[in-house]
Amino acid sequence: MLLVLLVLGSGAALWLGGPLLSAQAPSAEGPSPQPVQFDNALRKSAAPVPGSAGSLIASGYVVARRKATIAAEVTGKVVELLVDEGMVVQAGQVLARLDDILADKDYALAQARAEASEAALAAIAADLADAERILNRTQTLSGKNYATEADLTKAQARAGVLRAQLHQAEAQLAAARIEAQRYGDVLGKHRIRAPFAGIVVDRSAQPGEMISPLSAGGGFTRTGICTIVDMDSIEIEVDVNEASIGRVQAGTRVEAVLDAYPDWRIPGSVVAIVPTANREKATVKVRVGMDLKDARILPDMAIKVTFLEDGAPAAARSDPP
């Protein structure tokens, strides 16, 4: 048995050593293989193939460029609230009405003063016209020696005084009209209107509450009526690492994907790069505009933006499946 194992081991050694001996010694049938060329071919096939850099991806949020919390310019009590969340409003539409009883009375009083000033002006103008007629007649009679110098002087003085009173009455009438217009504007401020068209996203006041343009201590006085968002001003803001900001420029095409709709690719492009960096996060803010507007795109939604390389095609699907 030991002899059989020795014989088998010698044969295996000869079989394994055959190729090595043939690679080192020349064969009588042909030229020997070239180990050096074989090694170069292996190195070439194992070398890494350079590829294009991956697409730059940044996370951010949907924001509205026009978003305002509507507040009153005067202090007053809310007597009527005409909006609710989700309501579409137009520019100039009345959103709420404040208690305007005192403001209305002030406006009426100012109008009455303006009318009184106008009547006083008319009376002085009539007296001045009469005084000027007397002055002209006195001058004519004085030229014919039928009127004394004292009569002429008296007529001239009366006409001069009335002219001054007329100028004073005109100024008082102008001031009264301005005052009436001012009180009218104050009365109008008791009706809070929308500064632009949009959608109401938050209602922060209720009828019966006090509204003031300035915050008051204690928390019992509100400063805002509601918040309006202009949905046409929706865009994306993302933070790009400052080490990669060189790959982004205005006009770069992007594909945006909302976390709420992961299969919906929204095409867009870079609007602007905000020229400042965040020292704590080492990022630069980038504004991205979307090629389409949709009611499902809401402010403060989380979104991911892929910056496409030059020549990369835009998103083929702009609608959710």
Side-chain angles (χ1 to χ4, degrees):
M1 185 65 181
L2 181 60
L3 180 60
V4 173
L5 291 176
L6 291 175
V7 173
L8 292 176
S10 301
L14 292 175
W15 178 78
L16 291 174
L20 296 177
L21 293 175
S22 62
Q24 296 175 2
S27 174
E29 296 180 357
S32 63
Q34 302 296 328
V36 176
Q37 295 180 0
F38 182 72
D39 292 342
N40 289 339
L42 286 175
R43 292 193 187 98
K44 185 176 181 180
S45 63
V49 179
S52 60
S55 298
L56 178 62
I57 301 177
S59 300
Y61 295 91
V62 177
V63 298
R65 299 292 296 175
R66 296 184 68 187
K67 179 179 179 180
T69 298
I70 312 303
E73 298 183 45
V74 295
T75 301
K77 182 175 68 176
V78 179
V79 296
E80 190 177 10
L81 195 60
L82 305 175
V83 295
D84 206 345
E85 289 90 348
M87 181 180 295
V88 179
V89 298
Q90 303 299 323
Q93 180 177 337
V94 177
L95 307 177
R97 188 170 64 86
L98 304 181
D99 184 10
D100 57 358
I101 295 178
L102 296 179
D104 185 62
K105 292 184 180 301
D106 290 340
Y107 178 57
L109 180 61
Q111 282 186 318
R113 289 173 180 171
E115 293 176 358
S117 299
E118 188 174 359
L121 176 64
I124 295 173
D127 290 342
L128 178 60
D130 182 63
E132 288 178 345
R133 285 194 300 269
I134 294 174
L135 175 61
N136 292 334
R137 186 168 63 251
T138 303
Q139 288 175 342
T140 302
L141 294 175
S142 177
K144 296 179 180 181
N145 295 324
Y146 290 112
T148 64
E149 188 69 22
D151 293 335
L152 179 60
T153 302
K154 182 179 179 180
Q156 290 174 342
R158 182 170 183 270
V161 170
L162 290 174
R163 289 193 189 97
Q165 290 179 353
L166 180 65
H167 290 313
Q168 182 182 12
E170 289 176 345
Q172 290 176 348
L173 176 60
R177 287 176 174 174
I178 292 175
E179 185 181 17
Q181 182 180 3
R182 175 179 176 274
Y183 279 108
D185 293 340
V186 172
L187 178 61
K189 293 183 185 301
H190 286 71
R191 287 170 172 80
I192 304 173
R193 302 178 182 273
F196 53 84
I199 298 178
V200 178
V201 297
D202 180 60
R203 189 181 72 170
S204 54
Q206 298 293 336
E209 292 183 328
M210 292 297 296
I211 296 295
S212 175
L214 301 176
S215 60
F220 298 105
T221 302
R222 295 190 180 273
T223 57
I225 293 290
C226 63
T227 301
I228 297 179
V229 172
D230 182 5
M231 301 304 291
D232 291 334
S233 67
I234 291 292
E235 64 179 27
I236 304 170
E237 285 186 358
V238 295
D239 291 330
V240 178
N241 192 292
E242 63 181 21
S244 304
I245 196 63
R247 300 170 57 183
V248 180
Q249 59 184 354
T252 301
R253 299 296 298 171
V254 304
E255 284 184 354
V257 177
L258 292 164
D259 289 357
Y261 303 99
D263 297 329
W264 183 17
R265 298 184 180 276
I266 305 172
S269 60
V270 175
V271 175
I273 300 173
V274 180
T276 185
N278 188 306
R279 182 182 299 181
E280 288 76 15
K281 298 189 296 184
T283 58
V284 178
K285 183 178 296 183
V286 176
R287 295 173 49 200
V288 177
M290 291 173 283
D291 293 347
L292 58 91
K293 306 296 183 181
D294 194 282
R296 290 161 292 189
I297 305 175
L298 304 177
D300 298 328
M301 273 188 166
I303 195 168
K304 291 182 176 61
V305 174
T306 301
F307 297 89
L308 304 178
E309 300 294 334
D310 294 339
R317 295 176 58 184
S318 60
D319 295 326

